[in-house]
Structure formats: C-alpha cells, structure tokens
Amino acid sequence: MKESPLFSQEQLRESVESLTQKNYQERRRRINTELILEGNHKLSLASTPEDVYQIFLKLLSQFFDYETALIFSRDSNEPSWNSFYASPGSESIAWTSGKWTRRLLRGDVSVIFDARQILEFSAMPEAVIQANYSSAIASGVSCEMREWLLILGHSESGKFGQDHRHLFLRLLPLLRQRLLNLEYQDQLKRMVARRTDELRHSEQRFMSFAQTASDWFWETDTNYRFLFISSGLGEQSQPIYSELLGSSLLELHASLDAGEESLHNRLSRHSSLRNILFTLNRDDPESFWGALSGEPYFGSDGQFLGYRGSVRDITQERADRRALREAKEEAERANHAKSDFLAMMSHEIRTPMNAIVGMIELLKENALGGTADQLLSNASQASGLLLNIINDVLDISKLEAGLFELEQQHFRVSDVVEQVYGQMHESARAKGLKLSYQMDTSCQQQVYGDAYRLTQILVNLVNNGIKFTQHGAVSLTVHGVVRGDYNELTFKVVDSGIGIAPDDFKRLFEPFYQLSRSHARMYGGTGLGLSIVKKLVDTMGGELDVKSEPGKGSCFTIALRFPISAREPLPSVTLLDQPVMTPMSILMVEDSPSNQLVIRLMLEKLGHQVAIAEDGDKALEYPGLEQFELILMDLQMPGIDGFETMRLLRKQGISCPIVALTANVQEREHCIEAGMDDFLSKPLTRKSLLQLFKRIQSD
Ligand code: ADP
C-alpha cells in the first residue's frame, strides 16, 4: 500500500501563508500596542486640551489615513457647540446636536459611508462634503465639565472600516481619561485659587483690623514667646512692640492681687487669661500699662501650639483714673477743710454770740423804757437771727463732712410737737396767721430717737410756712401707725402761702438756694433750712415730699419711723412760767469772762449764790469746795478740760450734781455717758435754767 504524505503541498502552502499572516498580525499588534503606549505617555504630559488633541490626532494619523479633522466642544450644561479645531485648509460648520451626536457622546464610534444621510451634516455644502467627507469616522467624549466631538474625514469613499472603528474604540478611553484629568486639575486649581483668595482676603481683613484697632493682637509659640504682634495704632506703640517681640509672656511684670494664681501656673494649666494688668518696665511703671487677655490654641491633633490674644493699652486710662482720683481726693480734702473751718469758726463765733444773747436777755428783764426797750428788742431779734444762721452753717458743714451723728434718747412726739408750737405760735400770731397742730394718740407713746433734730426739722418747716404766708393759716398734723416695734409717723406742714412752682422742686433742697432773690430780700433767711431738713430726714432714714401750687400754698410731708421705747414714761415737759425753787450755792467753772458775767447774772437773778473758777485747776483747789450744792462745768477750757475736772472732783469726794455747759449741742449724750449729771447748751436761757433747776430739785 502506498503511503499518502502527511501534508499535501497545498496544505503546506496554506499553513505557511497563515503562519506568515499571523506573524504579521502579531507584529502589527505589537507595533500598535507600542504606539498606543507611547501615545498614552505623551498624552499624560499634555497640559491643555489643545495639547491633548494635537497629540491624539498625531497618534491617530499613525493608524488612520485621514485628511480632515473637525473637533467641537461645549460646556456640559450648554446646548450649543463651538468649533474647537479644524485642520488646516478645512472648513468648520455650525454643529447642531441630533440623535447621531447623542450616540457618539455615549462613546460609540461611527464609520460614515454617506454623510448626506446624517442630519448633522445637512448644513454642510454638498461640495464640502464631497471634498472632505466622502468617507468619515467620528466619535464623542463626555467628561464632567465639557463634551467633545471628533470627526475625521477623507475625500475618497470607503477609507474607513471596522478595523478603524475597533482601533478608535481602543484609543478613546486614553483621550477621555486625559481630558478628565485635565478637568480635575483645572477644578483643583480653581479651588486652590479661590481658597487662596479667601485666605488672602481674611488675612488682609485681619491685618486692617489689627492695624487700625487700638488693641494689639499677639501670638506665642509653645514656650510663650511672642511670635507675632500686630503693630496697632499710633507710633507710641512701636517701641513696645519691638520690645515685646521675641520675649516671653512670663517676662511681663504682671500686677496680680494677693492670692491670685501666678501667670506661670495659669499658662502651664493652659487656662484662659483675662485682663491681666502688666507693665514692661518695673522702674518706670507709668511709661506703659497693658491689659492682656488670651487663650491657648491647639493643632488639629489637639497638640498645644501656644497662646494668642490681645493687649489693650491702658496707660492713658490709668493716668486719667489716677488724676481723677487725685482730683477727687483733693476736692474732698478741700471740702473737709472748708467744713472743718466752718464748724470751727461757727463754734468760735457761738461763744461770744451766746454772751451777747444772754446779756440782751438780762437787759430786757430790766425795763429801761422808751427807745432803749425798742433798740433792745431789735438787738435781741438780730442776735437770735445771727445765732440761727451760725447754727445752720455749723449743721450743714457737719452734715456735708459726714461728721454728723444722731443722738438717741427716749421722748414723746407729742412733747416735740407742743414745743414746736410753743416756739412758733408767737411769730404766727404777730403776722395775723392762725397756727394750729393736730395729732393722734399714738404720738403720746414714748419712742427712741433724736428729739432735738426732729424739733429742728419741724421748726424749719413751720417757720418757712409762716415766713412765706401772708394770709390764712399754717398747720402741723401728725399721724402715727404702730407697726410691730415701730411707730411710723407722717408729719404734714401745710400753709396757704405763696407756693412753689413745680420746676423749682428739684432745686429746693440745694444749700444756699432761694427760689427768688426777692424772697431773700423780703423774707430773709440763708437758703440752708430745707437742705438741712432734707439731709436730716435722709440721715434718720425717712422720706420727704413736697406738694405745692403757686398762689395757693404748700404741703411738706415727712415720713419717719421711730422704735417704740420700753422705758418708764417721762414726765411731760412743760414750760415753767414761775420759778419755784430753793436758792442754791453754785460753783461755775468757766474760762470766758463774758460767759462768766452773763451766767452769773442769770443765776443771781434766780436767787442763787455764784462763785467762779476760771479753769479746772482752780476749781479743784477752790476753798470750801464741798459746800457747793451744784457745779456748772464748761467743757472746753485751757489746761484740764471739763470732763477731767469732773472726774478729779469726784475722786476728791465731791458728790453734788455736776452739769456740763457746752456750745456743742451734740455733746449731750456724750456728757451723760461720761458721768455728768445733766447738760446745758449755750446760750443759756432763763427757760433752760428753770428747767434744769426743776429737774435737779425734784430728784
Ligand atoms: P430760707 O427759708 O432760709 O430762704 P430754705 O432752705 O428754708 O431757706 O428755703 C429755700 C427756699 O425755698 C426759700 O427761699 C423759698 O423761696 C422756698 N420755700 C421754702 N419753704 C417755702 C414755703 N413754705 N412756701 C413757699 N416757698 C418756700
């Protein structure tokens, strides 16, 4: 049997051919792949879409035989297309989207055999289509921001086939990826630019604030060293700025209160700093003072990075405050000095005044007859007025200097009211006015407080009522309500006089203020009465109110509360008309010759025998001391004073009553506490002497 050959000649040839073809294809594929890789590398270096397309078209030209290239682009959210590129010598057209374009944008690659069949080419002249797009291949790329269309054409038909389509499909992702990357880069660049812009703006804003603010802003590192200080306003801050920069927060001379936590401790605990006052130069602290506030700041990982905050320059503020304080102290000192001077002067004037008043009183008792009596009565009025003025000046200066103290004693409001009435009814009657008083039973109750000052308040108000009323009446009413341990009293002084305009109410209580100059001329007075009343009422914790209508009259209301006194009721104070007393042997210890004269005359007129010692030493050595039944003791004398003399007399066994004589009415309580048996205030009047003898002789 004849063996047939394994492969026929024909088969062998076919196999060689297919092998060669495969080889060829393989080589082509390899070359293509290499070209694509190289193209991709070049694409990755392109930095603009123009570069990208230039490289891409070059890459395509290695696979495609095309003559014309058209590229359109548009923003993703825009409907119309713009021509992006048209190869030299070709003509672009206005491109309108249709179904075909949408297909391309979805990533399809279309091979065109007859462009006239496609709507998008309808605007293109026939001749142009023939010359450029007898055959064409096209595709699209859709990125995030932009969309692209790419059309390659050839004047010959049938130039592009499936192979081209597949190759195009392989290349498209490279193009898309690069375009997308460029978009991202672009977005990123824009974002960075925007952020940089924002940052620059906020930095500029901060710098403008910092430069124009009077405060400075600062920042330290972790060692509390100043890294940044805004220069702040004004050239004067420059030296301080340069001094601080680089130094540490711990080097500031902080002025902390005793017991306050040190700066070092606060910083190491990372606590906030609030208004720490500091100076830079301990030797010249007034050159600069700042108030520093700050907060620690931390990195995103929570790591401590330093402190930042602000400094307020308070140098001027401190200097102003010091100047103000000094001016205030100076003014207070001057005011004190004035008050002291006034108080002292009034005191000095009071002593001779007392003598004058006393002597006039004595003279009045010896009727001289004719003009002498009239002159005496005038002198008596004038001296009484002068004494009132002196007393007012003394009171207001004490009240203003804060030297004023209330005295506390047990008394009945009804006694005070009767006394005021007794004191004032004569002057009302002389003017043809009706003065009346009314009070409820609670006024009989004994209370505890300053009766003397209450009398002064009421006398002032009733006196004004009489002074500023020409016709009609002045009344004083008192209404009390007992609440717990207190009697809450309302005093009303009502007159039918000239009245006060509402606008004047607020100035009514200013010292030395009189509502009209004509008042001063017509009615006299100093303008001190109401300011004393107001200050006394305030000191006594009460309230004062005025209601008035010009031409109709005024009503002054005072609310005061006094604690009810639990002490045995006092005998009612009645004014004695007739002296009913046993003559006594009296020693008067008094240094002023005029007072010696007046008081001696008064006492002798009452039938007493009077001996005089000019000072404490003389009194202690007075022969037959123990014979005296009463000693009147001046308090202010050269050498040993009245209190000391009294104590020494008591030591010597002298037991008769010793009564203080003083021009200072406020010493009453003090005298009793110091061991005096009683108290007489100068100027002594017949009335006050009679009352004293009644008290002594009834004991
Ligand atoms: P003075 O009476 O010594 O002038 P005051 O301080 O007591 O001083 O009174 C101040 C002024 O207030 C008086 O000058 C007077 O113009 C006015 N004033 C006081 N009380 C009355 C009153 N009852 N009616 C009318 N005006 C009064």
Side-chain angles (χ1 to χ4, degrees):
M1 185 180 140
K2 194 180 163 209
E3 263 188 33
S4 59
L6 265 177
F7 294 106
S8 70
Q9 199 69 20
E10 184 62 14
Q11 278 176 319
L12 213 60
R13 198 182 47 80
E14 275 177 16
S15 298
V16 170
E17 221 169 78
S18 116
L19 213 65
T20 320
Q21 206 167 353
K22 273 201 182 119
N23 242 346
Y24 171 73
Q25 280 174 350
E26 191 51 44
R27 217 175 49 242
R28 278 226 43 132
R29 207 171 285 136
R30 218 180 43 242
I31 293 169
N32 283 356
T33 308
E34 273 168 16
L35 281 174
I36 291 171
L37 281 175
E38 194 192 320
N40 194 28
H41 171 68
K42 284 190 177 149
L43 277 177
S44 73
L45 300 176
S47 57
T48 62
E50 284 80 2
D51 288 355
V52 170
Y53 276 107
Q54 206 186 13
I55 295 164
F56 191 68
L57 287 177
K58 209 179 227 168
L59 181 64
L60 280 180
S61 66
Q62 300 185 55
F63 302 101
F64 289 77
D65 186 13
Y66 68 89
E67 292 170 344
T68 317
L70 269 188
I71 300 171
F72 294 96
S73 83
R74 70 175 182 188
D75 273 358
S76 301
N77 45 10
E78 294 272 331
S80 57
W81 290 95
N82 302 312
S83 164
F84 179 76
Y85 175 79
S87 54
S90 70
E91 232 179 275
S92 186
I93 53 163
W95 193 265
T96 338
S97 288
K99 234 199 225 158
W100 185 69
T101 308
R102 282 196 289 280
R103 224 179 72 206
L104 298 184
L105 287 175
R106 283 197 294 272
D108 198 5
V109 174
S110 172
V111 177
I112 305 158
F113 299 100
D114 185 0
R116 273 163 306 195
Q117 302 298 316
I118 296 170
L119 187 74
E120 278 82 343
F121 282 88
S122 57
M124 204 178 273
E126 181 69 32
V128 176
I129 293 182
Q130 262 192 8
N132 298 296
Y133 304 103
S134 292
S135 59
I137 186 163
S139 189
V141 179
S142 211
C143 295
E144 292 212 349
M145 316 283 292
R146 294 191 81 70
E147 291 175 331
W148 305 89
L149 281 178
L150 174 61
I151 303 142
L152 304 175
H154 203 282
S155 52
E156 285 172 36
S157 51
K159 262 299 195 189
F160 305 109
Q162 282 310 309
D163 283 356
H164 295 93
R165 186 169 176 272
H166 287 308
L167 200 76
F168 211 143
L169 280 171
R170 264 184 89 187
L171 293 177
L172 263 183
L174 306 184
L175 174 68
R176 184 167 183 275
Q177 193 51 51
R178 191 56 205 151
L179 288 172
L180 260 179
N181 283 352
L182 281 184
E183 272 189 7
Y184 288 147
Q185 274 177 15
D186 211 39
Q187 255 175 307
L188 208 66
K189 260 192 229 157
R190 273 208 298 275
M191 204 161 79
V192 169
R194 203 176 56 238
R195 289 275 153 85
T196 315
D197 231 36
E198 279 171 9
L199 209 68
R200 205 177 50 243
H201 265 114
S202 97
E203 207 167 284
Q204 269 171 358
R205 196 180 307 132
F206 169 75
M207 288 315 275
S208 310
F209 285 154
Q211 272 161 15
T212 50
S214 51
D215 291 9
W216 327 323
F217 303 95
W218 52 265
E219 196 171 86
T220 72
D221 59 10
T222 46
N223 292 322
Y224 320 119
R225 290 195 176 281
F226 290 105
L227 290 178
F228 165 81
I229 300 176
S230 73
S231 53
L233 257 193
E235 279 160 22
Q236 77 277 12
S237 64
Q238 282 303 323
I240 298 153
Y241 161 80
S242 26
E243 198 168 327
L244 273 182
L245 207 62
S247 66
S248 156
L249 265 175
L250 289 167
E251 289 168 46
L252 303 178
H253 303 300
S255 143
L256 299 173
D257 288 340
E260 249 189 297
E261 191 182 10
S262 74
L263 207 52
H264 182 271
N265 283 1
R266 283 190 231 190
L267 292 173
S268 43
R269 285 199 304 112
H270 294 167
S271 21
S272 305
L273 307 175
R274 287 283 167 267
N275 273 324
I276 308 269
L277 305 189
F278 71 95
T279 178
L280 294 176
N281 185 348
R282 239 194 239 289
D283 301 330
D284 180 17
E286 296 317 322
S287 64
F288 173 80
W289 271 97
L292 176 139
S293 298
E295 294 281 342
Y297 69 100
F298 302 90
S300 51
D301 53 355
Q303 190 194 356
F304 171 67
L305 296 180
Y307 265 83
R308 54 165 78 118
S310 64
V311 169
R312 193 156 51 87
D313 183 342
I314 55 163
T315 319
Q316 193 54 39
E317 197 179 306
R318 270 180 75 101
D320 291 348
R321 222 182 303 143
R322 200 181 52 239
L324 207 70
R325 199 176 47 239
E326 281 169 7
K328 184 168 166 265
E329 282 168 7
E330 183 60 41
E332 276 171 2
R333 263 198 305 277
N335 197 30
H336 244 274
K338 180 206 78 178
S339 302
D340 283 354
F341 173 76
L342 278 176
M344 195 263 287
M345 277 310 287
S346 325
H347 190 86
E348 291 303 309
I349 297 168
R350 241 163 34 160
T351 310
M353 262 317 287
N354 288 337
I356 295 169
V357 171
M359 284 188 259
I360 293 173
E361 279 234 342
L362 283 170
L363 274 177
K364 268 167 68 183
E365 281 172 27
N366 303 311
L368 302 169
T371 41
D373 277 349
Q374 184 56 46
L375 288 173
L376 260 185
S377 149
N378 290 350
S380 161
Q381 259 181 19
S383 55
L385 224 98
L386 191 55
L387 202 62
N388 277 344
I389 295 173
I390 294 168
N391 283 339
D392 278 357
V393 172
L394 183 66
D395 280 346
I396 197 80
S397 41
K398 280 196 170 156
L399 280 162
E400 283 192 340
L403 300 170
F404 185 85
E405 272 173 33
L406 289 171
E407 279 184 48
Q408 303 296 337
Q409 64 229 154
H410 303 269
F411 72 100
R412 267 191 292 256
V413 174
S414 57
D415 288 348
V416 169
V417 171
E418 271 161 19
Q419 194 183 334
V420 173
Y421 176 78
Q423 225 170 302
M424 307 306 302
H425 84 278
E426 186 46 42
S427 53
R429 200 191 52 77
K431 268 186 94 174
L433 301 174
K434 183 174 178 297
L435 174 65
S436 62
Y437 69 87
Q438 217 183 354
M439 50 190 170
D440 55 30
T441 46
S442 78
C443 298
Q444 301 291 338
Q445 213 165 21
Q446 198 162 254
V447 289
Y448 190 62
D450 196 331
Y452 177 77
R453 295 300 173 182
L454 176 61
T455 313
Q456 190 180 359
I457 291 170
L458 296 177
V459 164
N460 257 313
L461 294 181
V462 173
N463 187 38
N464 276 351
I466 296 170
K467 205 158 67 164
F468 297 106
T469 305
Q470 298 309 327
H471 309 286
V474 178
S475 69
L476 164 61
T477 50
V478 193
H479 174 62
V481 178
V482 175
R483 243 187 265 282
D485 295 339
Y486 285 86
N487 193 356
E488 297 182 353
L489 294 144
T490 310
F491 301 83
K492 270 189 203 299
V493 179
V494 182
D495 66 55
S496 58
I498 59 171
I500 302 158
D503 278 357
D504 290 328
F505 283 6
K506 50 186 176 306
R507 300 209 58 191
L508 207 55
F509 302 104
E510 287 177 18
F512 302 105
Y513 185 73
Q514 294 180 307
L515 299 187
S516 144
R517 285 194 178 281
S518 63
H519 286 183
R521 271 196 314 275
M522 269 164 61
Y523 307 106
T526 53
L528 282 176
L530 285 184
S531 56
I532 293 176
V533 166
K534 173 83 175 94
K535 286 203 159 70
L536 284 176
V537 170
D538 286 348
T539 316
M540 290 165 99
E543 273 168 37
L544 170 57
D545 183 47
V546 196
K547 290 206 169 42
S548 187
E549 213 179 305
K552 294 216 166 139
S554 312
C555 170
F556 286 80
T557 308
I558 284 169
L560 285 171
R561 62 204 292 268
F562 292 105
I564 293 165
S565 147
R567 223 201 228 176
E568 278 286 288
L570 294 166
S572 205
V573 178
T574 44
L575 305 176
L576 297 181
D577 291 321
Q578 286 304 314
V580 187
M581 62 180 70
T582 347
M584 295 173 96
S585 150
I586 302 171
L587 173 67
M588 173 175 27
V589 191
E590 164 71 66
D591 60 315
S592 150
S594 53
N595 280 347
Q596 289 170 6
L597 177 70
V598 177
I599 299 170
R600 184 168 57 198
L601 280 172
M602 282 182 161
L603 290 171
E604 284 176 355
K605 273 204 141 246
L606 293 173
H608 304 292
Q609 283 171 4
V610 184
I612 294 176
E614 285 119 52
D615 56 35
D617 289 324
K618 296 231 168 62
L620 291 166
E621 290 159 9
Y622 208 91
L625 245 186
E626 56 291 338
Q627 317 272 307
F628 292 111
E629 294 158 284
L630 172 68
I631 297 175
L632 297 180
M633 178 75 69
D634 184 26
L635 291 181
Q636 278 177 326
M637 291 182 295
I640 47 172
D641 69 8
F643 290 116
E644 189 54 25
T645 314
M646 178 218 31
R647 272 189 286 276
L648 295 171
L649 283 170
R650 291 281 184 243
K651 255 196 180 162
Q652 287 188 22
I654 303 299
S655 59
C656 73
I658 302 181
V659 174
L661 295 179
T662 175
N664 188 351
V665 283
Q666 288 177 41
E667 274 181 323
R668 189 182 321 189
E669 196 83 341
H670 179 42
C671 291
I672 308 298
E673 268 169 26
M676 294 285 183
D677 292 284
D678 212 320
F679 172 97
L680 275 179
S681 80
K682 295 183 198 170
L684 298 196
T685 58
R686 201 173 117 87
K687 240 182 248 171
S688 61
L689 279 175
L690 289 175
Q691 281 172 348
L692 172 78
F693 286 114
K694 188 170 181 226
R695 287 199 294 277
I696 291 174
Q697 293 183 353
S698 65
D699 276 351

